[in-house]
Amino acid sequence: MAANQRGVTVWFTGLSGAGKTTIRMAVEEKLRAQNYALEVLDGDIVRENLTKGLGFSKEDRDENIRRIGFVSHLLTRNGVIVLVSAISPYRNIRDEVRQKIGDFVEIFVNAPLAVCEDRDVKGLYKRARAGEIKQFTGIDDPYEAPLNPDIECRTDLETLEESTEKVLAGLKSLGYLNE
Ligand code: ADP
């Protein structure tokens, strides 16, 4: 573990295809190279185990986030840096998790819907537009953007390197990383 490491939950929220996973992986690589103790909770993977069986109703989405928040809290209070990437579209539950954890940095991974849809990394927007997937965030389910994120990455305007550097610089200035 890096000297004097402080635990923190670094929470990437944004539309599908906005760049949460891509930035998270780049940040992870940089931090691992500096021997920080890390854990990753990726929304897609969590839904296959910790929150398996939950759907995409408001209630299920909130439960999904609450469970991710619970595990993040356990790790954070034991000095781990937890990197969470999850659409987490609802503001209230994100704020609830933030209050519980305390050491919490919200990163708004932001690109316009049209850009995310154009990228269509997993082909999900196409399926949502065709009506094959219901309650898809941005199409027929809302995304409530953070009102006051700690860090915002505009992935339609920044390179991956710029977005990654923004996150690392933000974590440093908030006192979670060594200089
Ligand atoms: P999410 O995890 O939010 O669903 P992904 O990370 O899977 O999104 O996909 C984002 C896509 O956007 C990737 O294909 C990535 O290469 C691209 N991209 C373009 N510019 C950026 C940027 N500045 N930061 C992150 N991703 C970017």
Side-chain angles (χ1 to χ4, degrees):
M1 203 188 273
N4 306 318
Q5 176 171 337
R6 281 178 68 196
V8 61
T9 291
V10 184
W11 192 285
F12 297 84
T13 174
L15 292 170
S16 178
K20 301 179 294 299
T21 304
T22 306
I23 299 172
R24 189 270 295 159
M25 286 171 72
V27 168
E28 180 185 355
E29 195 180 309
K30 294 272 186 191
L31 295 180
R32 285 204 194 280
Q34 295 171 60
N35 294 317
Y36 285 98
L38 295 181
E39 195 46 85
V40 168
L41 292 169
D42 178 280
D44 290 339
I45 295 167
V46 164
R47 276 188 174 275
E48 288 168 12
N49 44 74
L50 180 67
T51 64
K52 195 179 169 87
L54 291 178
F56 293 88
S57 65
K58 166 96 169 54
E59 200 181 27
D60 278 10
R61 285 178 186 270
D62 282 351
E63 181 59 23
N64 180 46
I65 296 310
R66 213 170 266 124
R67 287 191 207 169
I68 295 173
F70 178 79
V71 175
S72 299
H73 190 194
L74 299 181
L75 292 163
T76 297
R77 72 187 189 191
N78 281 285
V80 177
I81 297 177
V82 188
L83 305 178
V84 177
S85 48
I87 297 174
S88 45
Y90 298 121
R91 198 175 287 134
N92 281 351
I93 189 73
R94 290 196 307 265
D95 289 347
E96 183 184 310
V97 167
R98 165 192 282 273
Q99 297 304 326
K100 274 206 184 119
I101 297 179
D103 288 298
F104 184 100
V105 176
E106 186 175 53
I107 301 175
F108 181 22
V109 182
N110 188 10
L113 176 65
V115 172
C116 296
E117 194 168 350
D118 195 50
R119 289 176 181 160
D120 210 2
V121 187
K122 301 169 204 155
L124 295 175
Y125 283 100
K126 196 162 173 257
R127 294 183 55 205
R129 288 288 185 198
E132 292 167 21
I133 306 174
K134 302 283 181 211
Q135 296 178 302
F136 195 75
T137 301
I139 305 297
D140 56 353
D141 214 60
Y143 178 76
E144 299 173 357
L147 298 176
N148 195 18
D150 298 289
I151 299 163
E152 179 174 353
C153 298
R154 276 296 302 266
T155 67
D156 56 325
L157 305 175
E158 301 164 8
T159 64
L160 173 60
E161 290 67 31
E162 286 168 334
S163 298
T164 305
E165 194 40 50
K166 228 181 196 179
V167 174
L168 293 169
L171 291 175
K172 255 182 211 153
S173 75
L174 291 165
Y176 291 110
L177 302 179
N178 299 320
E179 286 309 313

